């Protein structure tokens, strides 16, 4: 009984270290983490081993990307006094649990994971026919089960991974005894925030507005953003329903601005540049406090590493306790054998 029942339900979520985060990351995941940190005992980690399953060939930027991403977590208001931040690769326990779970995970379960086939087909600029890539969901299961998380806040694409985690937990418990609770997924509202080219905002599409973008950059990026393609001239009425700029208004603007733009666009009473200027102002207002909070960490990056160091130490305690239980359950622990022999000797 090394793991006292936590007062608050425990959540865990990981993010691949992609470097500086953008507005899509903010409204998709990060904001959600921040609002939950009071209500839940939260663990958030840098999924750097997960990154290697697809980005294995060039690791030169890895540490820089970890630092930038975690700086953005802090800037967005994730509080290291409330939530525990850590780096996956600093905890060998994750590798050990991944290995042990891989022994009981049928290949068929992994081949059926939707993201597996999808990414094999869609990602063509590198070879993903790797052992580690197939095992990705087992590693994710290890991350989640290690902390006996009650819930995992994820986007829709990750729900099958949480489902697989439940199946692996069930199978483990069936073989070796009840060690792991089955976590549930907390579905984060799908926010397919469009980027400046109208496709989903993504660092790899070069269409993103970053949390670190100063007002001038936000304005410039929005100025090039595509609008209702049918609205060629200022005098043409537009249709906000098909305009990606309006999608951003819906997330970042006050209701009165949204309504005003909606009405004036349809009546050709507002030009796209003015409409974008209103949006830019609202995005700046949202980013201002984030950029302000970021400054002390930018000036002294050691503070970011210190936060990760502390969090990793906290996470390690939990991971070590879980692994002691797992080893004992699987009879991998010599101590159990010695204990048995002793009690046999007494009788
Ligand atoms: N697979 C997740 C992603 O790509 C990242 C991740 C790794 C994760 N381990 C996790 C998320 C555990 C939640 C829980 O976004
Ligand atoms: Fe889009 Fe605004 Fe232009 Fe209408 S006015 S088409 S909502 S950018």
């Amino acid at each position: 009984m090394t793991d006292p029942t936590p007062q608050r339900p425990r959540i865990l979520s990981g993010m691949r270290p992609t470097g500086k985060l953008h507005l899509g990351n903010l409204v998709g995941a990060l904001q959600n983490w921040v609002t939950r940190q009071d209500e839940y005992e939260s663990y958030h980690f840098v999924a750097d081993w997960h990154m290697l399953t697809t980005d294995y060939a060039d690791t030169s930027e890895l540490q820089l990307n970890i630092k930038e991403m975690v700086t953005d977590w802090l800037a967005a208001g994730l509080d290291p006094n409330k939530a525990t931040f850590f780096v996956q690769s600093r905890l060998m326990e994750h590798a050990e649990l991944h290995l042990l779970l891989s022994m009981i995970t049928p290949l068929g379960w992994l081949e059926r994971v939707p993201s597996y086939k999808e990414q094999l087909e869609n990602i063509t600029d590198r070879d993903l026919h790797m052992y580690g890539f197939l095992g990705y969901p087992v590693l994710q299961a290890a991350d989640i089960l290690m902390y006996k998380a009650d819930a995992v806040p994820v986007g829709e694409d990750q729900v099958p991974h949480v489902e697989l985690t439940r199946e692996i937990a069930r199978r483990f418990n069936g073989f070796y005894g009840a060690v792991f609770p089955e976590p549930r997924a907390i579905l984060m509202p799908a926010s397919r925030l469009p980027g400046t080219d109208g496709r989903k905002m993504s660092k790899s599409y070069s269409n993103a507005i970053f949390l670190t973008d100063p007002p001038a950059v936000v304005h410039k990026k929005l100025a090039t953003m595509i609008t209702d393609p049918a609205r060629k001239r200022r005098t043409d009425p537009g249709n906000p329903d098909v305009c990606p700029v309006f999608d951003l208004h819906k997330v970042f603007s006050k209701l009165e601005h949204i309504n005003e733009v909606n009405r004036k666009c349809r009546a050709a009473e507002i030009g796209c540049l003015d409409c974008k200027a209103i949006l830019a102002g609202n995005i700046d207002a949202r980013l201002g406090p984030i950029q302000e909070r970021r400054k002390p960490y930018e000036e002294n990056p050691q503070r970011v590493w210190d936060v990760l160091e502390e969090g990793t130490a906290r996470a390690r305690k939990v991971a070590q306790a879980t692994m002691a239980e797992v080893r004992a359950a699987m009879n991998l622990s010599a101590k159990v054998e010695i204990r048995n022999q002793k009690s046999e000797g007494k009788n």
Side-chain angles (χ1 to χ4, degrees):
M1 296 307 286
T2 39
D3 190 23
T5 312
Q7 278 116 13
R8 294 173 294 164
R10 186 179 282 177
I11 57 171
L12 169 124
S13 195
M15 208 185 264
R16 294 159 152 256
T18 51
K20 286 188 175 176
L21 299 180
H22 54 65
L23 293 179
N25 303 126
L26 178 69
V27 301
L30 197 48
Q31 194 54 55
N32 205 282
W33 294 3
V34 172
T35 53
R36 284 175 199 278
Q37 63 185 344
D38 292 307
E39 196 188 328
Y40 290 89
E41 187 191 356
S42 307
Y43 287 78
H44 297 297
F45 71 99
V46 179
D48 53 348
W49 280 340
H50 283 267
M51 194 78 193
L52 296 180
T53 61
T54 52
D55 296 50
Y56 52 81
D58 180 3
T59 58
S60 55
E61 308 266 271
L62 198 52
Q63 295 308 310
L64 176 70
N65 286 340
I66 291 174
K67 187 198 72 187
E68 291 294 353
M69 181 174 81
V70 176
T71 306
D72 279 337
W73 290 4
L74 291 158
L78 205 61
D79 180 347
N81 295 314
K82 294 178 179 168
T84 299
F85 303 15
F86 66 96
V87 182
Q88 181 185 36
S89 68
R90 310 274 156 87
L91 290 162
M92 298 309 129
E93 288 81 0
H94 285 241
E96 185 183 357
L97 187 55
H98 168 248
L99 177 94
L100 295 175
L101 297 180
S102 79
M103 303 299 173
I104 62 166
T105 306
L107 275 177
W109 291 7
L110 297 175
E111 286 158 350
R112 269 200 305 274
V113 171
S115 63
Y116 177 65
K117 274 206 187 105
E118 241 167 64
Q119 295 203 40
L120 272 189
E121 280 165 21
N122 294 338
I123 301 183
T124 50
D125 59 342
R126 60 217 122 137
D127 188 0
L128 291 184
H129 293 86
M130 300 294 150
Y131 175 55
F133 182 64
L134 178 66
Y136 184 109
V138 183
L139 182 57
Q140 187 161 349
D143 300 334
I144 297 168
L145 296 177
M146 185 73 80
Y147 300 90
K148 300 188 177 179
D150 298 291
V152 187
V154 284
E156 208 172 350
D157 59 319
Q158 298 287 317
V159 171
H161 296 172
V162 180
E163 193 47 50
L164 186 74
T165 300
R166 297 164 60 88
E167 287 178 79
I168 293 175
R170 225 173 288 150
R171 195 167 163 88
F172 184 100
N173 293 345
F175 285 140
Y176 313 116
V179 171
F180 296 120
E182 289 180 31
R184 66 188 171 87
I186 297 179
L187 190 59
M188 295 191 286
S191 55
R192 301 221 149 229
L193 214 63
T196 49
D197 60 359
R199 290 188 292 171
K200 183 184 174 187
M201 190 179 287
S202 162
K203 195 172 192 180
S204 53
Y205 293 160
S206 305
N207 66 359
I209 295 172
F210 291 95
L211 304 189
T212 46
D213 284 346
V217 174
V218 173
H219 284 246
K220 214 173 99 199
K221 285 184 176 175
L222 286 180
T224 66
M225 183 155 182
I226 70 155
T227 62
D228 170 3
R231 192 175 191 207
K232 300 239 158 49
R233 277 158 305 188
R234 166 73 177 76
T235 48
D236 296 337
N239 178 6
D241 297 335
V242 299
C243 177
V245 174
F246 192 63
D247 286 332
L248 295 186
H249 267 295
K250 284 188 269 189
V251 176
F252 295 103
S253 298
K254 290 187 291 226
L255 194 59
E256 55 176 287
H257 283 163
I258 299 171
N259 291 338
E260 181 190 334
V261 163
N262 193 10
R263 182 171 48 78
K264 289 189 173 171
C265 171
R266 290 175 202 278
E269 282 172 24
I270 188 172
C272 290
L273 280 178
D274 291 333
C275 172
K276 288 170 167 183
I278 296 173
L279 174 63
N282 291 333
I283 290 177
D284 294 341
R286 178 74 174 270
L287 293 183
I290 293 178
Q291 293 172 359
E292 201 52 42
R293 242 188 325 250
R294 203 177 199 280
K295 273 188 197 146
Y297 296 104
E298 268 168 11
E299 279 156 20
N300 184 2
Q302 187 56 43
R303 289 186 57 183
V304 178
W305 294 117
D306 289 346
V307 163
L308 284 171
E309 199 64 49
E310 268 171 48
T312 301
R314 249 186 291 172
R316 178 170 286 123
K317 288 211 181 97
V318 180
Q320 284 177 340
T322 301
M323 287 318 295
E325 248 185 285
V326 167
R327 289 183 209 116
M330 295 181 74
N331 289 318
L332 289 166
S333 169
K335 278 191 204 132
V336 174
E337 182 60 23
I338 291 164
R339 193 164 5 95
N340 289 347
Q341 279 169 1
K342 268 191 198 149
S343 54
E344 275 162 29
K346 261 190 223 150
N347 294 340

